[in-house]
Amino acid sequence: MAKKRVVSQFGMGTSIRSRNYTEAAARAIRDALWHNSLNVAEAFGFPREAMIIDVQIGVQQPEAVDCEALLKVFPYGQPSITVVKGGLDIPKPGGDSISVIANAAILVSFDMEPANG
């Protein structure tokens, strides 16, 4: 069996007031997930729990993201989260705070035999 990617989803999330990188990342994940209603597990004859979900989050302060909290966003599957430097921090007028923008890439795969032909 080989890990075979079947879906790529992308999203963006923000924390406008609280400067919360984890919440911005969670919103980016939800943005990617909730824009789609994919029945890919059933289409391939797999249980939803068999989905291998690789998540990459981009924020300006990766160390400020609580990956354990983000895992709770996923109702099923086998999610793993990687956080890298990316996204944007946008200064607010007056320079006293920022708004946080996070980007998410969600890759869904299954362990399956490659197609012949």
Side-chain angles (χ1 to χ4, degrees):
M1 298 283 235
K3 182 177 172 181
K4 178 73 176 166
R5 183 190 312 176
V6 294
V7 175
S8 299
Q9 298 172 290
F10 306 98
M12 184 197 77
T14 61
S15 176
I16 304 264
R17 292 177 202 72
S18 65
R19 195 179 191 163
N20 186 323
Y21 289 88
T22 300
E23 187 56 39
R27 289 176 177 154
I29 290 169
R30 287 187 201 100
D31 182 52
L33 293 175
W34 274 251
H35 275 134
N36 300 286
S37 177
L38 301 174
N39 298 316
V40 33
E42 292 85 2
F44 288 105
F46 291 109
R48 292 183 288 184
E49 293 74 25
M51 290 192 306
I52 302 164
I53 305 168
D54 295 306
V55 180
Q56 189 165 5
I57 301 291
V59 293
Q60 284 292 296
Q61 294 185 26
E63 68 283 354
V65 175
D66 178 356
C67 291
E68 289 299 316
L70 297 180
L71 291 172
K72 296 176 185 173
V73 174
F74 294 89
Y76 43 76
Q78 305 166 40
S80 65
I81 309 230
T82 303
V83 184
V84 300
K85 188 162 178 72
L88 291 170
D89 285 350
I90 306 296
K92 290 187 175 187
D96 59 340
S97 189
I98 61 168
S99 292
V100 173
I101 300 175
N103 296 103
I106 300 174
L107 309 175
V108 179
S109 304
F110 292 99
D111 278 329
M112 66 173 100
E113 293 295 326
N116 295 327

